[in-house]
Amino acid sequence: MTSDNMANKDKIPVIAFSAWSDTGKTTLIERLTALFKKRGFHVAVIKHDAHDFEIDREGKDSWRFQQAGADMTVLCSETKAAVIEQRHLELSELLSLIHDVDLILVEGYNNDEYLPRIGISRRASG
């Protein structure tokens, strides 16, 4: 998949936000998401996490499956679903998973220059 195809996958607009930590990226994306939702849009958000985040709680069944060595664990309820993979996914792979939305907002992924990007600065954060 080329960069042009990734940014235009299914014609879903993608906008990335970049800034130093504690500048307000998450707050801005949160507020934009709420604003777009009020206007009837379906919104997806992808966040790059520089840390090794945990999505599951120790001792829960899905955590136990991962500890046993499952390469992929899927959680599903009546209201939501999550897929946990024990590998890194490129941004292009993540974008290809998203469907049925009007807009994709991306936090981070600063090295992916093909994305339209909004830089954020705040005097208090330097």
Side-chain angles (χ1 to χ4, degrees), residues 13-46:
V14 180
I15 302 171
F17 296 82
S18 296
W20 293 107
S21 184
D22 295 324
T23 305
K25 295 180 304 291
T26 300
T27 300
L28 176 61
I29 293 171
E30 176 185 28
R31 290 180 180 168
L32 286 171
T33 300
L35 177 69
F36 287 127
K37 292 300 292 180
K38 280 184 184 177
R39 294 186 178 185
F41 288 90
H42 294 94
V43 181
V45 178
I46 298 176

Side-chain angles (χ1 to χ4, degrees), residues 35-59:
L35 177 69
F36 287 127
K37 292 300 292 180
K38 280 184 184 177
R39 294 186 178 185
F41 288 90
H42 294 94
V43 181
V45 178
I46 298 176
K47 177 184 173 41
H48 180 262
D49 190 342
H51 310 287
D52 189 22
F53 70 90
E54 288 294 327
I55 193 170
D56 210 355
R57 292 191 313 254
E58 185 174 340

Side-chain angles (χ1 to χ4, degrees), residues 84-99:
I84 304 168
E85 289 198 50
Q86 298 297 328
R87 68 182 181 103
H88 171 79
L89 294 172
E90 296 295 329
L91 179 58
S92 61
E93 294 174 285
L94 297 171
L95 288 170
S96 72
L97 297 173
I98 296 176
H99 55 87

